[in-house]
Structure formats: C-alpha cells, structure tokens
Amino acid sequence: MIQKPLLISKQTILAVQDRADIEDIVGDFVTLKRKGSGKYLWACCPFHDEKTPSFSITPDRGIFKCFGCGKSGDSINFIMEHDGLNYIEAIRHLATRYGIEIIEDEQSDEQLAEQNERDSLFIVLNYAKEYFKEQLNTDEGKSIGLSYFKERGFTTKTIEKFELGYSIDAWDGFYQVATKNAYNEDILEKAGLIVRKDDGKKYDRFRGRVIFPIHNVTGKVVAFGARTLKKDDKPKYLNSPESDVYHKSKILYGLYQGKNAIRQHDNCYLVEGYTDVTSLHQSDIENVVSSSGTSLTEEQIKLISRFSQNITVLFDGDAAGIKASLRGIDMILEAGMNVRVVVFPEGDDPDSYSKKLGSSAFKIYLEENATDFINFKTGLYAEESAKDPLKRAQSIKEIVSTIAKIPDGIKRAVYIKESSNLLIIDESVLVAELNKILITERRKDDKKRIKEATGEKLLEELITETEIKGTDYNALVRIQERESIRLLINYGFNEIEEEFKLYNYLLDELEDVEFVTPIYKEIFEIFKKHLESGQVIDSKFLIDNSEGKVKTEVIDLVTERREISPNWHDKFKIHIPHENEQLEAVVYTNVARLKFRVIQKLITENLAKMKSAESEEEQDKMFRIHGELKKSEVELAKVLGIVVSR
C-alpha cells in the first residue's frame, strides 16, 4: 500500500499558534505604536497604501485587523498574506523560526492534490533550470549562449551565481527530454515551459535564447526570462507566464542573491533589466534588484521594505523613459520609504556605464550622483519650463504632488522648505498647494473607506434610537445580531447574576429568535453545538479552529476601531466605565433591542402581506397579527425608552 505524503499535525499547528508572537512577527515588517489604553498596537497597513494608521494588532489575542482594507487573521494568516505562502508553508516557516518540532499526519485527498501540484511545479522548474544550464556546455550552447555571456563580460562566477543557461534552437528539444524523463505534460504546460497548439501539438516556449532563472526570496526557481540572440526575433525578452508559484508583481529579479547585501548596506538599488543586476554584481555591488521590465508594483516595494527602507532608483539617460517611470518614485514615497535617484549619461544604462568606468569608479559615481527626488524632479523639469510660465507652474504642482505622497509630516515640511529654495518660490504658496492636495486626498480616502465599509458598520455608527422612516429593518436586525454574537464570544463566561453566566441568558432569550444573517447564525450554531457536548467556547477557540468567513468575522468582532484615551482618568480624573463594568445592562439592552428590531421587521413584512392579500379573510388575519406585533413593539419601546407611533 502506498502511503500518502504527510500533513503537518494539529499538535504542531497548536504549538505554532501558542508560540507565535503577533507583535514580534508583524514588527518585522511595520513600525508598531501604542495609543489610547495600549490594548492595541497600530501601524500603517502593510497590505495597502494609507497615510493614517488603520492596521491594528491585539497582542493578548494574537490577531491583526486592518480597518482600511479589511484583512485580518492571526500570525499564520499574516505570514501567508505577506509572504505569499500557503497554509502549510506558513506553518513550516513559523515552526522553524520558533524552534518547534514539526510532527506530520496524513493529508486529505484534496490537500494532497493541491500540495502535489505546487511541489511538482517547483520540481519541474528546477529540472528546467538544470537543463538550461547544461545546454551551455553543448556545442551550440558554447558557440551561441556562452559566447554571448562572455561578450557581455559575464564571468564564470556570475554565470554560476545566477544559474544562467541556454535553450537550444529547436521546436521541442526540452519537451522531448522532459517527457522522456517522465515529467508530466500538464505540469510542464502549467509551469510555462511548453506551449500546446490548438491541434494538440506541443513545443518549447523558449527556443534559441539565453536563460535567466527567476528565483523567489527563498531561492526557489519560479520562472524564467529569456533573451533572443537573433536580430529579427520578437519579443527581445520572453518571460514565463504567471502560475501558482509565479506572480510577476510579487517577484524581484536578484532579490534572492542580493537580500543580505541590501540589509547590510541599508539601501537597495533598483534597476530595469536582468543584465543590469548581473553587471552591478560584477562591480561588487550586490544590493540591487530589478522589476524585470514591468512597472514597479506595491508588492515589490513592500518586498524591498523587508530588508531596507531606502531605495536608490538608477535611471538610463533617456528623458522620455525617466518621465514614464516617475510613478514608481511616488509609490515608494507613499509606502513611507526614502528614495534617491541616479541618472546615467544619455545613451548609457547601469550595465554599459559600469563597464565603461570599472568597479571602483562606478561605485564612486553612484555615491556622488545620488540625489533626493526634489533635486531630481526640479532638474528634470527645469529646462523645458524655463521660458514658459504655465509649464513652470505645472512643474511646481507636480513636485508638490509628489511631496504630498509622503506620509510623514516632518519629512513633508523639510521637502517643502527645500523646494521653496530650489524653485525660488515663497514657502507659504507651496504649503497652501500642499494642503489643498492633502485635503482632496483625505476626502477621497474617506469616501473610499465609506464605500468599502459594510452596511452594518455604517448603520452601527450612524443610527439613532428614534423611529427611522423607510429604514431597512433587515439591516437593523443584523446590527443587533452582530452585537449579540460579539457579547457571546467575548463575555460568555462572565456572570451577570450570581452563578448565572452571560451565555446562559443569551441562549435562553434568543431561543425563539431566528437569525437572518448567515454568518451570525453559523457562529451561534457552532457555539450551541459545542455547548451540547459540554464545551463553552470563546473567540480564541473560534479564531484558532475556524477558517474563512467565520474566522474573519470573529476577529472583526473582537477588535475595536477606537479606544478610550487613558488621559480621561490619568490627567483629568474622569472615570469612563468599561463595558465589563456595565455588562449586565449592556446585554439586557441588546437583547431587548434585537427583539425590538425583529418585531419592526415582522411589522414591515406583515404590512406588505396585508397590501397583497387576495381575500378579506386573509386581510383580517394580517390585521390581527399587526395588532399583536404593534403591542409587542410598544412594550419593548418602553423598556428601551423609545417613542413609537401606535
């Protein structure tokens, strides 16, 4: 009998959940700050651009939540999201980090299939890398591929370091060898190594090209870049298509080879192409990466930020190309990172200019010519706007709009002052323009957050305890259902009367209430199911033992958006009671309000039925029901102190 590959055991997962420190893990990627009571730590979200921190972690619960983009989870989810790992890979990563022994059990068929495919992709990509490397030693490889590398000045050390190779100029050379060695055709196709024609025939994607393997941050080959050596062959560079292991927006060429140098020098040189990276390595400059011909992405910037907060962009001496790349500088600034720029003489790029100057002189050139983005942009626009007031005004606006991208207010002020001197324009004019841009952007951000927020959350903040004509009572019911579940999972064990737990009261009172919101109904049913077996669960249990919507919702329920400042007590001696201190009143009021909203919902539905009733008898029945419902509504309104029409 063939034994299935093993899956990480529940025992190991629980050990990781217990040992993984959310503050320690998240703190590797963002700067966390305490505010308010100190229960939560806050930072600008590592998953989306923002100027005001909306990302919080709750250390005592081991969870994170972003109130901007909505991402949430525990330490495992954070590593999965941030590093692009699957669940098993994230567990292994954290287990290794904390020295936890990995115990394995058998996988389910579905888990096995998913993991097998991912593993197979890595295996076949590694096989292809070795195959392409070997081709450099063939007669064709030596005369064409290796000859090209030597002409470009690549040393044997560089070729080995970046695992460069060559694909022979044949339609199916790799395909024939790979299938002969029993590599699966579907996996070869999913890895982007072969292409299948409409008639079913297969051929190699890369033919007669030098090969640049693309590694992920851990060193696994995930794709290839291939340069043609024929003048008329298009495109010049051909890259692997995206796959389950390769997402080009999340990969930087050379990061695996350069990450230690980036951390050591606290600076990352950003270039355009593969050969720029390899040439700089040969000039003994290893802290360099390339976006591989694609526009710089947020994910790539965040990847660099794991190793340094400083990026130096190296531009070819081409004014049109430089202007097309300015968005990348703004994105780096938006991420809260520092950016400098080096421009090479016209007609040169990092590869050609490093060869012209030699290693020592090239290093000096980079150090002496690195300029901040203000000086860079000012110089870029100076010549074309010198004799045109309108263009000069537009250039100034462009520079101020870039400064507005910087999240840090002190940095913005410094750059405004410097711009005032460089542009010979009054500082107050620049400040006024900056404030106008910031106010406009803030309004956009506010609108976006409102748009992204759920209906329940908006109503929860805006609703008043008065009769709201034309209100969606389903939405109001959802608000109170949410509050009921929040109280249940946060305070279920608390006593609201002597030897009477909160969960007992809620379950008794809500026995006849049918939840209308599927996610709250699901959580309620999970709670009751465990209670039947004698186990009273809480939010931590649900976070540790749930996935998907349940886990996300529970994290949302236990994470508060706002905190009461300790200054009320410490500075002003004003005591603001915590929810714990008035729990009995909170839970009684919530149950009454939930029933009140359910009654209002039923009244609305009954009125609709009354209007569409086809017989007088049916109308009379609806009318009697309406009377009973209105009586219940009035009674509950008295309890809540609400005036309703009879």
Side-chain angles (χ1 to χ4, degrees), residues 314-422:
L314 306 187
F315 281 119
D316 300 353
D318 169 21
I322 290 172
K323 284 192 175 181
S325 303
L326 290 180
R327 174 58 186 147
I329 290 178
D330 286 353
M331 290 172 66
I332 295 168
L333 292 170
E334 279 182 298
M337 297 174 71
N338 307 311
V339 60
R340 294 173 71 79
V341 177
V342 174
V343 180
F344 297 105
E346 191 169 350
D348 275 310
D349 56 30
D351 179 23
S352 64
Y353 207 56
S354 64
K355 290 182 173 66
K356 279 184 183 180
L357 296 186
S359 296
S360 300
F362 185 71
K363 280 185 181 180
I364 294 170
Y365 180 86
L366 292 181
E367 291 169 5
E368 292 182 347
N369 288 273
T371 181
D372 65 63
F373 71 93
I374 293 296
N375 282 281
F376 167 67
K377 272 201 164 183
T378 303
L380 187 65
Y381 291 118
E383 187 176 340
E384 67 178 47
S385 63
K387 297 178 182 179
D388 188 333
L390 290 177
K391 282 189 176 180
R392 174 170 160 75
Q394 186 58 40
S395 298
I396 292 170
K397 284 178 179 288
E398 287 285 343
I399 291 168
V400 176
S401 69
T402 293
I403 295 173
K405 305 292 184 186
I406 302 171
D408 188 281
I410 294 175
K411 284 184 182 178
R412 285 201 302 263
V414 169
Y415 281 120
I416 283 290
K417 192 170 189 67
E418 185 177 345
S419 298
S420 173
N421 296 329
L422 287 169

Side-chain angles (χ1 to χ4, degrees), residues 174-189:
F174 171 75
Y175 169 71
Q176 292 295 341
V177 174
T179 51
K180 186 178 179 180
N181 282 280
Y183 285 96
N184 182 277
E185 290 185 8
D186 288 338
I187 296 296
L188 291 171
E189 186 177 3

Side-chain angles (χ1 to χ4, degrees), residues 66-118:
C66 178
F67 292 91
C69 66
K71 285 184 168 50
S72 62
D74 55 15
S75 300
I76 299 167
N77 298 115
F78 182 87
I79 291 297
M80 288 172 66
E81 189 73 38
H82 193 280
D83 288 2
L85 305 178
N86 64 27
Y87 187 75
I88 298 300
E89 289 168 339
I91 291 290
R92 290 186 183 279
H93 172 85
L94 291 171
T96 302
R97 173 172 178 155
Y98 288 98
I100 297 168
E101 181 186 0
I102 298 175
I103 301 169
E104 298 178 311
D105 297 326
E106 282 192 0
Q107 296 186 48
S108 69
D109 290 340
E110 187 178 339
Q111 291 166 329
L112 175 60
E114 183 181 332
Q115 188 61 41
N116 276 350
E117 182 163 307
R118 192 176 174 87

Side-chain angles (χ1 to χ4, degrees), residues 482-493:
R482 182 183 192 277
E483 181 66 0
S484 297
I485 297 299
R486 186 186 72 82
L487 291 168
L488 180 65
I489 64 175
N490 276 323
Y491 304 111
F493 284 102

Side-chain angles (χ1 to χ4, degrees), residues 107 158 176 205 230 271 425 529:
Q107 296 186 48
T158 297
Q176 292 295 341
R205 180 177 297 275
K230 300 174 183 177
V271 296
I425 188 169
K529 182 180 178 181

